[in-house]
């Protein structure tokens, strides 16, 4: 059974969150996004939805996606490395799925490193399935990406999702 961190709030990311997000990004990825990319996403990309996980006002994780017409595409999810395995990533994923459904997305897609089995298990739990491989997708060594997709976010998906969400969050 996974130990869960308590008092984690999922909220919209703001420009004030960027310094903490960049620290988590630096500790999480070999090729982190620059500050300007986050500023552009928050201030100029109308399709972007970015959220931050906060514990006692401190950012401990973040996630983002683009919702274009009826498709949501998850661009990033990261949790501060010392706090991984506590359910923060799952809370972030739930936050993105909630917002995708609110915005009328009919499906969600993402790419995940082929070696990241922990993330793949989480995505499968929430109904994502492998639909392809993007060869040499990651520029920091050429690792392949697994393309995962939810399929239709209609009533069958949402019924299963609500059950998982309630079981995890208790609400």
């Amino acid at each position: 059974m996974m130990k869960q961190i308590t008092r984690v709030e999922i909220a919209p990311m703001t420009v004030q969150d960027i310094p903490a997000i960049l620290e988590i990004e630096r500790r999480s990825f070999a090729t982190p996004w620059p500050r300007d990319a986050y500023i552009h996403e928050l201030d100029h990309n109308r399709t972007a939805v970015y959220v931050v996980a906060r514990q006692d006002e401190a950012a401990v994780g973040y996630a983002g996606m683009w919702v274009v017409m009826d498709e949501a595409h998850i661009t990033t999810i990261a949790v501060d490395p010392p706090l991984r395995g506590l359910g923060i990533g799952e809370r972030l994923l739930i936050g993105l799925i909630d917002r995708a459904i609110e915005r009328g997305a009919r499906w969600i897609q993402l790419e995940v490193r082929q070696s990241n089995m922990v993330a793949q298990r989480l995505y499968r739990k929430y109904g994502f399935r492998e639909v392809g491989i993007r060869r040499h997708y990651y520029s920091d060594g050429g690792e392949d990406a697994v393309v995962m997709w939810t399929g239709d976010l209609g009533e069958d998906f949402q019924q299963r999702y609500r059950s998982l969400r309630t079981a995890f969050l208790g609400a």
Side-chain angles (χ1 to χ4, degrees), residues 152-162:
D152 185 6
L153 295 178
E155 189 52 41
D156 288 346
F157 176 91
Q158 289 186 39
Q159 185 175 5
R160 182 174 181 270
Y161 170 68
R162 282 190 300 269

Side-chain angles (χ1 to χ4, degrees), residues 10-151:
I10 304 298
M13 185 188 293
T14 67
V15 172
Q16 290 75 26
D17 292 314
I18 292 176
I21 298 311
L22 291 176
E23 249 330 283
I24 296 168
E25 178 93 359
R26 186 187 61 74
R27 290 192 296 262
S28 298
F29 301 113
T31 53
W33 280 17
R35 181 180 189 277
D36 291 347
Y38 282 103
I39 290 172
H40 176 78
E41 290 293 279
L42 295 177
D43 289 345
H44 302 293
N45 186 350
R46 296 176 60 149
T47 69
V49 177
Y50 282 79
V51 296
V52 62
R54 290 191 187 99
Q55 179 188 29
D56 301 326
E57 302 301 316
V60 295
Y62 61 93
M65 70 180 167
W66 299 324
V67 182
V68 180
M69 299 186 63
D70 59 359
E71 177 183 344
H73 184 98
I74 294 175
T75 57
T76 190
I77 296 180
V79 173
D80 201 9
L83 299 173
R84 290 181 184 161
L86 300 176
I88 298 168
E90 189 163 351
R91 287 184 186 210
L92 286 162
L93 180 61
I94 288 169
L96 290 181
I97 294 171
D98 285 346
R99 286 159 177 83
I101 291 169
E102 288 167 9
R103 287 182 170 226
R106 291 185 47 215
W107 61 83
I108 306 171
Q109 178 185 329
L110 58 82
E111 290 90 10
V112 59
R113 285 182 181 272
Q114 196 164 37
S115 63
N116 192 343
M117 300 310 293
V118 171
Q120 289 178 46
R121 276 191 298 277
L122 175 62
Y123 300 141
R124 282 190 190 94
K125 174 180 176 179
Y126 282 87
F128 288 80
R129 61 186 182 275
E130 183 178 328
V131 294
I133 299 288
R134 293 193 198 279
R135 299 279 174 221
H136 312 293
Y137 182 77
Y138 293 97
S139 61
D140 61 348
E143 185 174 354
D144 294 345
V146 176
V147 180
M148 299 185 83
W149 184 65
T150 57

